[in-house]
């Protein structure tokens, strides 16, 4: 419902990446509720709010200021990245 509003504010990859870091911090604050980050990632991707390049940059980021909760967050979205890579491979085959 709010995708258009978010798209307006997340207008470039740097802002998209910061939004992913903010979600990571929120998960730490909320003590890592099961599957919540995955649901956010799925929705933000499906609604074209955050592009796959930003997700990949977040995944591979080694920024020392953004490491709190990163390991747990990465583990919770493993299936998302597996799906994203599989979908990318499928589209490359077409």
């Amino acid at each position: 419902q709010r995708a258009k509003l978010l798209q307006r504010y997340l207008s470039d990859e740097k802002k998209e990446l910061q939004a992913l870091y903010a979600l990571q911090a929120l998960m730490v604050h909320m003590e890592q509720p099961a599957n919540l980050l995955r649901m956010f990632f799925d929705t933000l991707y499906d609604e074209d709010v955050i592009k796959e390049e930003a997700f990949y940059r977040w995944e591979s980021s080694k920024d020392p200021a953004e490491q709190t909760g990163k390991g747990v967050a990465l583990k919770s979205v493993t299936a998302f990245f597996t799906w994203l890579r599989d979908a990318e491979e499928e589209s490359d085959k077409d």
Side-chain angles (χ1 to χ4, degrees), residues 37-93:
L37 188 59
R38 168 72 196 264
M39 289 188 306
F40 274 123
F41 276 31
D42 284 341
T43 302
L44 291 169
Y45 180 80
D46 290 344
E47 298 298 325
D48 295 321
V49 174
I50 296 182
K51 293 167 206 62
E52 60 191 66
E53 294 81 15
F55 285 110
Y56 287 135
R57 281 193 56 205
W58 174 83
E59 179 187 34
S60 63
S61 170
K62 304 285 187 231
D63 184 340
E66 303 292 354
Q67 292 306 302
T68 303
K70 179 75 180 270
V72 176
L74 276 170
K75 188 170 184 174
S76 73
V77 292
T78 299
F80 171 82
F81 282 104
T82 300
W83 171 83
L84 196 60
R85 285 185 180 88
D86 288 348
E88 191 174 344
E89 287 174 14
E90 286 298 316
S91 70
D92 287 348
K93 288 179 185 175

Side-chain angles (χ1 to χ4, degrees), residues 13-35:
E13 191 174 319
K14 185 176 180 183
K15 290 176 183 170
E16 291 176 8
L17 185 59
Q18 286 305 311
L20 295 174
Y21 287 138
L23 284 172
Q24 175 185 326
L26 178 63
M27 294 304 107
V28 169
H29 179 74
M30 295 175 70
E31 299 179 357
Q32 306 289 353
N35 298 318

